[in-house]
Amino acid sequence: MKKNYLVQTIGLDKAFPVGDRQVQVLKKINIAIEPGEFVILFGPSGCGKSTLLHCLLGLEEPTGGKVLVEGQDFYSIDEDGRAKYRKYKVGMIYQQPLWVRALDVFENVALPLRLLGKSEAEVEKRTMEVLKLVGMEDWAHYLPTELSSGQQQKVSLARALTVEPVLIAADEPTGNLDTVSGQELMEIFWQLYRKGKSILMITHDLEYLRYATRIFHMVDGEIVEEMRRRPNRHFGRARSKKEGLLIKTDVRSKDFLKELKI
């Protein structure tokens, strides 16, 4: 029986011109993400994680292979069509929150709904729903710059949820957060996953791999390992199976995930 994948790549390549030559950044990537999964794309800095995410979201056209989104060749659609898909169906969270500085938290979160032409009643209802979902309803009329980094990322997540996306895509969302704030954000992601949301998250932090239903390990532009697992949200440290110690193995090892106790 053929599966209905949310996102799939077939032999995906991406190269960038540098001077008079092409530098290969992604090499024959084959992944398939099913609806309702909590997927983490993991690997060392500079391995191509963000470039892959941008290809999946229609922001960077591949130089070879295909990206299929809900079964359709995503790059057979023009740029405006891909932008429309993101607008209606993807909730995006970046490492560094992006704000309209003159607007308070409520208006920043409400902005996607206003751009979609929703009524004022719909805007008010949905905006407060998502702020309450991330525990930030009491901060609705503060400026984002008055919040801590952890609070700002919760608000970013609320804004991403306003359009009820089919996919939440998060690029190093905990990268600028302390341990407590990072864990709080991951707990919210966990609850969204439990409610059926599809999540694709990029990280290089071992501590968050426990939340994933599937992990893709990326090294030098290639997927070198894939792990399917039953997620365990209990926060703990990734350890070596052999030594029971915090793992010291090089993340560039192609057997890295096999050595983790998660």
Side-chain angles (χ1 to χ4, degrees):
M1 182 176 176
K2 187 177 179 180
K3 289 188 176 181
N4 295 317
Y5 294 117
L6 180 57
V7 181
Q8 184 180 11
T9 67
I10 302 172
L12 178 66
D13 289 321
K14 178 62 181 177
F16 290 101
V18 178
D20 60 354
R21 64 193 183 97
Q22 295 284 316
V23 175
Q24 199 73 22
V25 177
L26 301 178
K27 307 164 189 175
K28 302 300 179 189
I29 302 288
N30 294 292
I31 63 173
I33 298 171
E34 298 172 28
E37 287 195 289
F38 191 153
V39 175
I40 288 183
L41 181 61
F42 169 78
S45 297
C47 69
K49 301 186 299 294
S50 292
T51 299
L52 175 54
L53 181 64
H54 292 165
C55 289
L56 298 180
L57 298 179
L59 296 167
E60 285 282 0
E61 186 165 1
T63 49
K66 287 186 177 182
V67 176
L68 305 178
V69 177
E70 296 191 79
Q72 183 171 11
D73 184 345
F74 208 29
Y75 288 90
S76 69
I77 306 170
D78 63 21
E79 190 173 343
D80 288 343
R82 297 195 302 271
K84 186 176 180 181
Y85 183 90
R86 289 192 300 272
K87 181 178 177 180
Y88 285 92
K89 292 197 169 185
V90 179
M92 188 69 204
I93 306 162
Y94 298 94
Q95 181 174 341
Q96 190 67 40
L98 303 173
W99 307 116
V100 179
R101 288 181 174 270
L103 301 181
D104 64 15
V105 165
F106 180 93
E107 290 300 333
N108 267 283
V109 173
L111 189 58
L113 297 171
R114 297 197 190 284
L115 292 175
L116 292 176
K118 300 295 185 181
S119 70
E120 193 57 37
E122 288 177 298
V123 170
E124 173 78 27
K125 180 175 182 291
R126 182 60 182 163
T127 300
M128 291 310 296
E129 279 177 354
V130 292
L131 284 172
K132 185 174 182 180
L133 186 64
V134 300
M136 291 299 294
E137 68 272 26
D138 292 339
W139 300 84
H141 300 297
Y142 283 72
L143 292 174
T145 52
E146 296 178 295
L147 307 181
S148 69
S149 295
Q151 289 173 320
Q152 288 189 40
Q153 280 298 61
K154 289 178 183 179
V155 173
S156 291
L157 178 53
R159 183 174 57 190
L161 292 169
T162 54
V163 297
E164 300 190 45
V166 298
L167 175 66
I168 299 169
D171 191 353
E172 296 279 9
T174 62
N176 289 333
L177 305 184
D178 59 56
T179 300
V180 173
S181 297
Q183 184 178 346
E184 288 176 352
L185 189 67
M186 292 303 298
E187 286 292 325
I188 298 172
F189 279 128
W190 170 263
Q191 295 303 328
L192 291 169
Y193 154 70
R194 292 293 298 271
K195 292 176 181 178
K197 286 292 184 185
S198 304
I199 299 170
L200 172 59
M201 175 177 156
I202 288 178
T203 188
H204 62 268
D205 196 323
L206 291 177
E207 307 299 339
Y208 303 132
L209 299 185
R210 290 179 176 274
Y211 290 85
T213 61
R214 196 135 59 104
I215 303 166
F216 292 107
H217 180 203
M218 193 170 185
V219 177
D220 295 333
E222 298 179 279
I223 301 296
V224 296
E225 291 181 283
E226 176 184 346
M227 176 185 285
R228 287 183 179 270
R229 59 186 300 279
R230 181 174 295 176
N232 174 9
R233 63 187 270 266
H234 297 298
F235 196 74
R237 311 188 82 184
R239 296 179 183 273
S240 166
K241 287 180 179 177
K242 292 180 179 178
E243 300 177 7
L245 300 173
L246 186 64
I247 193 160
K248 303 294 185 181
T249 308
D250 186 352
V251 295
R252 294 182 179 277
S253 165
K254 293 185 178 181
D255 294 321
F256 182 79
L257 290 177
K258 293 177 184 176
E259 295 301 319
L260 290 183
K261 186 188 293 182
I262 55 172

